[in-house]
Amino acid sequence: MKKHFKFSVVSIAVSLFMANQAGAANTWTESRSDAMGGTGVASGNYGSGALINPALLAKAKPDDDVTVILPSVGVQVTDEDNLQDEIDTINDKINHYKDVVDDLTPREIITNPLGSINQFQGAAKDLADELDYLKGKTARATAGAGLAVSIPNDVLSVAFMAKGYAHGRVSSSIDQQDIDYLRGIQQSKVVAAGVALDAALNGTDQITKNLNSTASGRAAIVSDYGVAVARQFNLGGVPVSVGVTPKLQKTWLYNYTVSIYNFDSGDINSSRYRNDDTGFNVDAGLAADFGDNWTVGLTGKNLFSRDIDTKEVDGVRDTYQISPVVTAGVAWHTDLVTLTADGDLTETKGFKSEENSQYVGVGAEVTPLNWLAVRAGYRADVKNNDSNVFTGGVGFAPFNRVHLDLMGLYGEDETWGAGAQLSMTF
């Protein structure tokens, strides 16, 4: 009686992201900015403005042309409790425990009582140890993707964009009664013999019905489809760009809550656990240039708040919060070096069952050759609810027509991530 216990947050967030073509630590993914500490509100270029700050779309130079991002993708995984390795361990022990229970026939107990009971006690101990380790453990992952076609113009710049971000989390809810029940079998041959005989005579359900621990997989995918427009104005000698992106917003929510002994991440996409919602939202932004080297920016994502409930599964329901995220940024730039910093002025929300985050980031880019850029940065959560990470990456731009950007990140709590972006200028 073998069960597949694939306790993988990566498969939940990333596979759902791939299946739905949606789904990042920010509400956008752009490899150049992600390599620079997740910044970009002031330092992004016009081709990525539709994804980061629509005002940047109006900052194209006279010789800039149509830019297409196709696509930008990224993923970040945090697994501080090493659940990735524990998946196989607990899966093996659950299977072994069930196999031992299945073999507890009256004849086996009578003809080989010592061997049967010892094996049963050993299996109960191993499973109890794993449940004890998994108490309160979680793992999470985010993923993102983006496409954009940006068309600069002196009067009104326009961009068509599609982007998405996914957030997934796996957590365990271990019932102490399960551990106590298994410890009772482990520590007493009398108890073990009584339980074994009852199971042998009345079926293994007599044992499994006493195990009540659950595991939950919670995930959200938000996809945006919109048209960004931007224009630059001159205010007292200061070039100020204003941009706005009205967008259609599609959200999928997944609430997979089952017995930990039957958890299979492949089931999370079932309609029993999934619901969706479609609505309207708006992004907006500002950018201003002070002299040749300084740019400041301000952007607001998802200016209309939306609370969406998951399906109720076995009495469990959660709410996913889409709320405004306002971010300010500043950048100092030359042809060789760009230094930049961003800070969220509001919290980033997600499921109500999770704590909110608020990010700040700093980054740098050095362009030693006109076809090569080297980037690095650091991003932190001032609320201390998400991992702080170091970021880095490189960019290649042969003939200044094809651009390939690569990034990676690593941080505390066993956090890692990677991203890539291909764009073309015509």
Side-chain angles (χ1 to χ4, degrees), residues 220-295:
I221 297 175
V222 182
S223 293
D224 296 339
Y225 311 92
V227 178
V229 293
R231 184 172 180 178
Q232 190 172 89
F233 302 89
N234 191 301
L235 300 180
V238 177
V240 177
S241 302
V242 180
V244 62
T245 308
K247 60 188 183 181
L248 182 70
Q249 195 164 65
K250 178 81 171 181
T251 305
W252 293 266
L253 299 180
Y254 302 80
N255 180 22
Y256 181 53
T257 303
V258 295
S259 166
I260 198 171
Y261 310 101
N262 297 312
F263 193 99
D264 186 344
S265 61
D267 292 338
I268 192 173
N269 202 31
S270 168
S271 59
R272 179 187 174 192
Y273 310 106
R274 181 188 70 241
N275 64 307
D276 60 76
D277 181 84
T278 302
F280 175 82
N281 225 311
V282 174
D283 298 339
L286 299 170
D289 294 323
F290 295 90
D292 295 331
N293 304 115
W294 288 95
T295 300

Side-chain angles (χ1 to χ4, degrees), residues 5 11 14 39 58 103 105 139 150 163 182 188 190 253 285 310 315 317 351 353 357 366 397:
F5 187 75
S11 64
V14 180
T39 60
D103 291 339
T105 64
S150 303
K163 65 185 177 74
L182 293 166
S188 171
V190 174
L253 299 180
T310 67
R317 170 176 287 174
F351 286 106
S353 60
S357 295
V366 179

